[in-house]
Amino acid sequence: MQLYNSASHQKEDFVPRDPNLVKMYTCGPTVYHFAHIGNLRSYIMEDVLEKYMRYAGYNVKRVMNITDVGHLTSDADSGEDKMIKGAKREHKTVMDIAKYYTDAFFADCARLNIKTPDVVEPATNCIGEYITIITGLLDKGFAYRAGGNVYFDTSKLDKYYVFNEQDSDDLAVGVREGVEEDPNKRNKNDFVLWFTQSKFEDQALKWDSPWGEGYPGWHIECSGISMKHLGEYLDIHCGGIDNAFPHHTNEIAQSESYLGHKWCNYWFHVLHLNTSGGKMSKSKGEFLTVSLLEEKGYDPLIYRLFCLQSHYRKALVFSWENLDNAKVAFDKLVARIATLKPEDGAVDQGAFDEQKAKFQAALDNDLNTSLAVTALYDVLKAQTNDATKLALLADFDRVLGLNLTEKAAEKRKTAASGTTSGGYTVQGEGDPAIDALVRQRAEAKKAKNFAEADRIRDELKAAGIEVTDVAGGATWTRA
RNA sequence: GGUGACAUAGCCAAGUGGUAAGGCAAGGGUCUGCAAAACCCUCACCCCCGGUUCAAAUCCGGGUGUCACCUCCA
């Protein structure tokens, strides 16, 4: 397959070092608060990437970190560790907070059909790995000690800027309030590997190290965890585009300096979900979570479809109108699939292969999920039997993860559970009282008493029940 | 200020040199006591200006606009 590589700024053929195993690393969440749906866009797209690689025949070992330590300052304030801030806010210990929000994160992922990575590693589990790497960097002269901390020396690198052509002189330090230049740094781009002296006091979590009691810098975490579980070579590293600089740039600097060779071949960056006012954040505007979507009556998988209809390398604007659009499309897809008859013939392998080839061509081309979704519609319109269509849809869903065939099967089951009497079939959700009302309405209609029929329909509607006439009966659903 | 990306119908969106996929909405129609659903039909000179080419939404140059990053963020 072809993937856009942020490191080379072009699409490349994806070739893992080991043809049978893709080693994949994902920057995981900082667990000091709930994830918003913008955070989750990245995880949805990375999930599709992972599932497509498996679909295409690769074995995949995927590792994700959980940042439960040392993330400095948050959106609008200056001078507190995010984890500590969360703990203070909720009067819990830092580790309680981490546990709580880690669980919440994976619960959100489950509702969005995002597979949990093979390895999930909290940053606080790997202090030994960080110390080993930092020691190695100091030995090789890539790091130095100053003011109690250990820094990476970016001037020792031939090429520091991997993802763009910046010049360190052009970096505007302090473009945001509360960001001050650290006087211990030898170069503007140098970054901390290990803190013993922090401008943030009351660090709840500290560990012993050869440089004193302290805690690791942010960037070292991903390098350490990746090497612990995936070894010296990584095939593909994923994350949100905001991480490209400085986080991923620094990961590359420290990893390759430590290892002495190229570390990761492909970089997969997902663009942000924006609101009409710009980047979505936790401190600005409505705090959009999976739970909020559910409260408002949206199946989380509608949001998944919403993301899939766009391309991961394009900014996506969230609005309720756009989500409604996706909801209608999702419901219609399920309804159309529900009309397919599973027992309609045997799978036609020729037709199956033809449709599948289109689907794969779409995803082989830099994970074009928008075209992959179109492939669903192509299947529904294809000149072949229902059994073939259902087999194709189930096959595609291994990657898309929309549960379309399952939902359609449920719908079909509900429809089949209708009760028939007097040649009139009522299909609903199995409530005899409502079935009876629907029958009363049918009687009224038969007697041409349309006022009464409409009155019953209105009464049901007031109770949130929608009645629809179909050939030989009626169906009803709860809104 | 520097750097990176993007700009296609009312909205989302595909398209990687040969006269614009798909979805939603909208309008028209069939069906229906009415409604809904379903089905059929209709709906774009691709931000602007130059250039290359027999041919450009697609390549090149220059604008304009939007977004992102510049040590917190997916």
Side-chain angles (χ1 to χ4, degrees), chain A residues 156-229:
Chain A
K156 294 287 180 355
L157 265 50
D158 295 332
K159 183 170 166 60
Y160 170 65
Y161 295 101
V162 180
F163 297 109
N164 45 41
E165 297 297 328
Q166 291 187 93
D167 188 304
S168 72
D169 293 339
D170 294 328
L171 281 183
V173 173
V175 285
R176 292 173 206 215
E177 219 169 317
V179 175
E180 290 167 26
E181 198 156 9
D182 182 342
N184 294 318
K185 288 182 182 181
R186 291 184 191 164
N187 310 290
K188 212 182 266 185
N189 290 312
D190 291 356
F191 54 93
V192 177
L193 296 166
W194 188 267
F195 284 102
T196 68
Q197 296 296 315
S198 165
K199 48 187 169 178
F200 311 116
E201 292 168 11
D202 295 334
Q203 279 293 325
L205 298 170
K206 289 186 182 181
W207 294 266
D208 272 332
S209 82
W211 319 285
E213 188 180 65
Y215 59 98
W218 171 38
H219 311 295
I220 195 70
E221 155 190 330
C222 288
S223 295
I225 292 172
S226 171
M227 287 180 207
K228 177 177 176 181
H229 294 287

Side-chain angles (χ1 to χ4, degrees), chain A residues 37 72 207 254 266 436 454 456:
Chain A
I37 60 173
L72 300 178
W207 294 266
Q254 68 202 5
Y266 301 91
D454 289 349
I456 294 171

Side-chain angles (χ1 to χ4, degrees), chain A residues 242-262:
Chain A
D242 55 309
N243 278 326
F245 185 84
H247 181 52
H248 292 160
T249 304
N250 290 347
E251 274 187 58
I252 292 168
Q254 68 202 5
S255 297
E256 297 192 349
S257 300
Y258 172 72
L259 293 169
H261 59 70
K262 180 97 182 271

Side-chain angles (χ1 to χ4, degrees), chain A residues 67-78:
Chain A
T67 299
D68 55 356
V69 65
H71 234 55
L72 300 178
T73 58
S74 75
D75 304 283
D77 59 8
S78 53

Side-chain angles (χ1 to χ4, degrees), chain A residues 93-397:
Chain A
T93 70
V94 170
M95 294 319 284
D96 285 343
I97 293 285
K99 168 99 177 63
Y100 179 78
Y101 287 114
T102 300
D103 291 347
F105 173 74
F106 286 111
D108 284 346
C109 286
R111 286 186 284 181
L112 288 164
N113 236 342
I114 296 170
K115 174 184 168 295
T116 301
D118 303 290
V119 177
V120 175
E121 184 75 278
T124 49
N125 260 6
C126 305
I127 303 298
E129 274 76 15
Y130 314 146
I131 290 174
T132 302
I133 295 170
I134 296 167
T135 304
L137 289 170
L138 280 163
D139 289 348
K140 291 187 178 185
F142 285 106
Y144 59 91
R145 299 175 67 171
N149 298 331
V150 182
Y151 294 85
F152 185 91
D153 187 347
T154 52
S155 69
K156 294 287 180 355
L157 265 50
D158 295 332
K159 183 170 166 60
Y160 170 65
Y161 295 101
V162 180
F163 297 109
N164 45 41
E165 297 297 328
Q166 291 187 93
D167 188 304
S168 72
D169 293 339
D170 294 328
L171 281 183
V173 173
V175 285
R176 292 173 206 215
E177 219 169 317
V179 175
E180 290 167 26
E181 198 156 9
D182 182 342
N184 294 318
K185 288 182 182 181
R186 291 184 191 164
N187 310 290
K188 212 182 266 185
N189 290 312
D190 291 356
F191 54 93
V192 177
L193 296 166
W194 188 267
F195 284 102
T196 68
Q197 296 296 315
S198 165
K199 48 187 169 178
F200 311 116
E201 292 168 11
D202 295 334
Q203 279 293 325
L205 298 170
K206 289 186 182 181
W207 294 266
D208 272 332
S209 82
W211 319 285
E213 188 180 65
Y215 59 98
W218 171 38
H219 311 295
I220 195 70
E221 155 190 330
C222 288
S223 295
I225 292 172
S226 171
M227 287 180 207
K228 177 177 176 181
H229 294 287
L230 297 169
E232 292 196 4
Y233 294 95
L234 183 59
D235 290 306
I236 185 160
H237 194 307
C238 311
I241 185 65
D242 55 309
N243 278 326
F245 185 84
H247 181 52
H248 292 160
T249 304
N250 290 347
E251 274 187 58
I252 292 168
Q254 68 202 5
S255 297
E256 297 192 349
S257 300
Y258 172 72
L259 293 169
H261 59 70
K262 180 97 182 271
W263 172 52
C264 177
N265 285 330
Y266 301 91
W267 291 82
F268 180 88
H269 287 128
V270 180
L271 265 76
H272 281 159
L273 179 73
N274 296 325
T275 60
S276 53
K279 183 172 166 177
M280 185 172 287
S281 81
K282 287 169 181 161
S283 58
K284 192 170 68 178
E286 218 170 357
F287 185 48
L288 297 161
T289 59
V290 173
S291 301
L292 182 68
L293 296 189
E294 285 191 316
E295 279 167 32
K296 295 207 177 204
Y298 298 92
D299 184 320
L301 294 179
I302 290 166
Y303 176 64
R304 188 172 169 111
L305 175 64
F306 173 79
C307 290
L308 260 38
Q309 282 179 317
S310 179
H311 190 256
Y312 76 90
R313 222 146 45 70
K314 217 169 167 183
L316 182 59
V317 176
F318 177 86
S319 69
W320 292 106
E321 185 193 350
N322 291 348
L323 191 66
D324 282 334
N325 189 328
K327 179 178 164 61
V328 174
F330 187 85
D331 291 344
K332 282 191 177 181
L333 268 174
V334 171
R336 283 177 70 177
I337 295 167
T339 64
L340 299 176
K341 297 176 185 63
E343 65 280 6
D344 178 31
V347 173
D348 174 346
Q349 199 59 41
F352 185 93
D353 291 345
E354 186 188 335
Q355 295 296 325
K356 181 172 171 142
K358 277 200 274 186
F359 178 73
Q360 283 204 264
L363 293 171
D364 275 337
N365 184 7
D366 195 25
L367 208 69
N368 192 327
T369 50
S370 180
L371 271 180
V373 170
T374 299
L376 291 175
Y377 289 94
D378 289 343
V379 166
L380 287 169
K381 284 186 273 195
Q383 298 293 319
T384 184
N385 63 31
D386 286 0
T388 306
K389 292 182 183 179
L390 283 165
L392 280 161
L393 294 166
D395 186 62
F396 294 0
D397 212 55

